[in-house]
Amino acid sequence: VQLQAFGGGLVQAGGSLRLSCAASGRIYEIKDMGWYRQGVGNQRELVAAVTDDGTTRYADSVKNRFTISRDNDKNTVYVQMTDLKPEDTAVYYCNAKVRTYHAGGYSPPNNYWGQGTQVTVSS
């Protein structure tokens, strides 16, 4: 399974960006999908996540500014980021828990990561 993320870039404070991440491979089922970020000198942290039934959760720091969504037909997860702040600057990683096909059946959910996309917010 591969996760390909798109949409990072440089934006001024108060601006918006939309990240997308598409999963491909021998996918049987995608459970949770989400976005994490890691700023310089910081640990990777959860930004937002969405379950396969559409339940969402957000880090307190992004509530009411970021919106996560997914398109199950396209195996894609999105995050719309608005009112961006300099402290949102980080590398953003998508994550998915995926069950895959294999000889004899299906795997339990395994964790997969995208390659990361840089988001830089200037003040």
Side-chain angles (χ1 to χ4, degrees):
V1 174
Q2 292 185 329
L3 301 183
Q4 185 71 40
F6 302 93
L10 172 65
V11 65
Q12 289 187 332
S16 300
L17 281 175
R18 187 193 195 209
L19 306 182
S20 61
C21 177
S24 62
R26 297 174 61 84
I27 297 169
Y28 168 65
E29 180 183 33
I30 302 179
K31 306 298 283 185
D32 292 4
M33 302 185 83
W35 290 94
Y36 290 70
R37 67 186 181 188
Q38 187 168 15
V40 175
N42 295 331
Q43 292 187 333
R44 191 172 298 189
E45 63 176 1
L46 174 70
V47 175
V50 56
T51 65
D52 53 355
D53 67 359
T55 302
T56 59
R57 68 183 191 274
Y58 296 91
D60 287 344
S61 59
V62 307
K63 282 180 181 177
N64 301 316
R65 298 190 299 121
F66 290 13
T67 303
I68 191 169
S69 61
R70 61 190 282 173
D71 184 332
N72 291 328
D73 290 339
K74 296 180 179 179
N75 293 332
T76 299
V77 62
Y78 307 93
V79 62
Q80 178 68 47
M81 306 185 292
T82 64
D83 190 22
L84 282 160
K85 307 177 186 298
E87 51 264 41
D88 295 318
T89 295
V91 177
Y92 284 69
Y93 298 90
C94 59
N95 172 270
K97 293 178 174 58
V98 183
R99 297 181 68 190
T100 57
Y101 293 100
H102 63 80
Y106 317 111
S107 73
N110 289 312
N111 216 21
Y112 294 91
W113 292 92
Q115 83 281 14
T117 184
Q118 177 71 45
V119 171
T120 302
V121 185
S122 63
S123 57

